[in-house]
Amino acid sequence: MALSRQAMFSLNICARNLNQLSRIESLQSKPKLRSYSRPVTTALENYESSIYSSGKTEYANVNWDELGFALTKTDYMYVMNCSKGEEIFSEGILTRFGNIELCPSSGILNYGQGLFEGLKAYRKEDEGILLFRPEENALRMKMGADRMCMPSPTVEQFIDAVKMTVLANKRWVPPHGRGALYIRPLLMGTGPNLGVKPASEYTFLTYASPVGNYHKSPMNLVVEDKVCRATPGGTGGVKAVPNYSPIYKALTQAKAKGFTEVLFLDALTGRNIEEGSACNIFILKGNVISTPTVHGTILPGITRKSVIEIASTLGYQVEERNVPIEEVFDAEEVFCTGTAMVLKSVVSITYQGKRIEYKMGEETVAQKLHATLTGIQTGLIEDKMGWTVEVD
């Protein structure tokens, strides 16, 4: 199936020189697109051979030690479409990373019909590359797509798309221990819609960017007791695009006062902690680690799920339950988890003017969990859980 220029989603391709542009355009003009399960196209293989030579990995010209969590434009992105009347996504293609065009009345622009995921690829000491639990991201996207009345790629399509995106941008995967390649899959309603209804056509796209730490500074949280992140029956439990911008005001105001993150309370009672703007939260007291239960208003984080399993294997008692705000007053440690930040200790929480500080340092439980988790992610610790996937 050829890539139509009249489809509601099209690509403005950015190329570094005319040579590369002509190769990519010839790739797009082929009448039969490459299957997502087949090897990388000849054009891409030729391009990669100019980057990786003599069997030794070469890297993009990036100051890896200065990486934060911001977009660095890489080489390729991966695109699949689902046409009107179909429930199955077409074969995908790799294309140069660049701007996209959307119909002004597309579902994503007018009604926020979209989902996204986030996962990382890590470089091992031997230069191999690992993905961390991509199947979980695929399953979470399928769950979100069902909630948002959208078709979703199969688990196999999702994972293959992620792998292809990583391979095509291999030189952007940071050296071992100096960051990760963050992959952002997007599922969007791209068909034109003036009325309030699901879009007629959909696009699945994955792009990537090398990243460092999400929060380089210490984590100081402030409790937000006026703005709610999510309400029962809403979309707080899925990674929907419209979940995030409504909390920008609270987050911006908090950062203006010197805080790192906002901790939101439940909408029904205003008494239980739920999650941050982009992270799940845990509290520690004694041998017990507690985290708010996932019941529709809290995103079921994959890092959260992994930390629960690791903590249990290390002998800690893990409780998923309602956690009243009062319990942060006498917690010994507090830490947050998420794909972007991984796992980070919280220095303090401020609630109604009262500041509570927590244990920090190398001997904390949070650091122990962080070392185990990142060890598995980067291949330093044997993956007995079966969580990592080799990219080759």
Side-chain angles (χ1 to χ4, degrees), residues 280-321:
N280 295 116
I281 189 165
F282 292 78
I283 67 171
L284 169 76
K285 188 173 183 181
N287 196 55
V288 180
I289 298 174
S290 302
T291 188
T293 187
V294 175
H295 48 59
T297 58
I298 296 173
L299 186 71
I302 295 161
T303 309
R304 172 189 181 275
K305 181 177 181 178
S306 304
V307 167
I308 288 172
E309 295 179 53
I310 291 171
S312 297
T313 62
L314 294 177
Y316 295 95
Q317 179 183 336
V318 182
E319 297 180 348
E320 296 181 75
R321 58 180 176 82

Side-chain angles (χ1 to χ4, degrees), residues 221-224 261-265 273-276 281 349:
L221 275 58
V222 62
V223 177
E224 174 57 61
E261 263 282 358
V262 174
L263 178 57
F264 293 95
L265 303 176
I273 62 174
E274 289 213 322
E275 63 178 306
I281 189 165
I349 294 179

Side-chain angles (χ1 to χ4, degrees), residues 3-4 7-11 79 81 100-102 188 190 203 205:
L3 183 64
S4 170
M8 83 283 25
F9 180 93
S10 62
L11 304 165
V79 183
N81 292 307
I100 64 174
E101 290 183 5
L102 291 170
M188 303 173 286
T190 44
T203 296
L205 181 153

